[in-house]
Amino acid sequence: LYEPIKSQYAIFFHDDGNSPVVKWFSAFTSGAIGSAIFNPIDVVKVRFQSQLPNTPPPYTSLLNAFHTIYTEKGLQGLYIGTSATVARAAFLTSAQLGSYDVIKNNIFVQMLDFDKEANSTHFSASIIASVITTTAANPADVIKTRVMNDPHATIGGPSKHLAQLWKVNGLSGFMKGWTASYLRIGPHTVISLVLIEKVRQIIGMSSY
């Protein structure tokens, strides 16, 4: 979705597609759309991952999870926490693709005269983008996890969870689990972006 959306934003903003604003808006929008569509899968994943040791799994299978949630809460149950999920994915994708594009092309290539097609350029840009991505997505990730683990809305929606987290933990609460998140998001970001660039080169496309 990133490149088609970037093309449309470039037309809308009368830009050549090289503006950091266009790149960040494009990545933000593509992340939001994708996460909104697949929110039910995210809900089920979080429920299974939240199983405590020595306790039975919340559902007997993947299909049973979807069926149970739909039976109990309807579509609303499958789309619980959508706003938090969309915010998290929008910030993550914006930081991941948008920042990578800006760092590589606007800074490394245009300002520092790096080789746009070099593996070292792709790797260096992706390393920096991975740190930005984890930091940008972590607050929304914390809120999203809390909302999805509160199926009966005992605390309330995302805004209620946000307020409680700020009241109890302050700013540091939004960075809970940053290291664990980076160990997942960091390698994923670096490997994905470097591989995407290599595949684009192999099939004759220009790099991002």
Side-chain angles (χ1 to χ4, degrees):
L1 289 176
Y2 175 64
E3 290 204 356
I5 291 173
K6 187 169 78 168
S7 298
Q8 293 303 311
Y9 272 132
I11 295 171
F12 180 79
F13 287 109
H14 305 289
D15 183 78
D16 61 0
N18 197 43
S19 165
V21 173
V22 169
K23 293 174 180 179
W24 276 317
F25 264 113
S26 303
F28 190 92
T29 304
S30 61
I33 293 172
S35 65
I37 294 171
F38 292 102
N39 191 79
I41 296 174
D42 210 15
V43 170
V44 172
K45 181 201 74 171
V46 169
R47 297 279 176 85
F48 273 114
Q49 288 179 336
S50 299
Q51 178 189 355
L52 297 174
N54 302 318
T55 61
Y59 311 102
T60 58
S61 67
L62 191 63
L63 290 177
N64 175 252
F66 285 113
H67 180 265
T68 302
I69 294 171
Y70 180 79
T71 301
E72 292 177 351
K73 297 286 185 177
L75 281 176
Q76 184 179 358
L78 291 171
Y79 280 89
I80 186 172
T82 301
S83 58
T85 303
V86 168
R88 184 253 184 193
F91 282 114
L92 186 149
T93 309
S94 179
Q96 191 176 59
L97 287 178
S99 292
Y100 174 77
D101 200 340
V102 170
I103 291 164
K104 191 191 82 171
N105 293 303
N106 296 72
I107 298 177
F108 283 177
V109 175
Q110 294 179 11
M111 296 176 62
L112 301 178
D113 201 29
F114 281 32
D115 181 358
K116 181 177 181 178
E117 303 297 338
N119 291 333
S120 58
T121 302
H122 303 159
F123 181 76
S124 300
S126 64
I127 285 287
I128 298 172
S130 71
V131 176
I132 297 173
T133 300
T134 305
T135 305
N138 210 77
D141 214 8
V142 171
I143 298 299
K144 182 201 78 168
T145 302
R146 289 176 175 237
V147 171
M148 288 184 174
N149 279 320
D150 184 21
H152 302 295
T154 305
I155 295 175
S159 61
K160 296 289 186 181
H161 281 274
L162 188 152
Q164 185 196 52
L165 184 63
W166 175 263
K167 181 179 179 180
V168 176
N169 299 107
L171 189 62
S172 62
F174 294 95
M175 287 297 121
K176 282 187 172 183
W178 188 95
T179 302
S181 291
Y182 185 79
L183 291 175
R184 177 174 61 89
I185 295 174
H188 173 270
T189 298
V190 174
I191 293 170
S192 296
L193 291 173
V194 171
L195 282 178
I196 288 170
E197 293 284 31
K198 183 57 65 178
V199 169
R200 290 173 69 94
Q201 289 176 347
I202 291 173
I203 63 178
M205 295 177 67
S206 62
S207 63
Y208 275 132

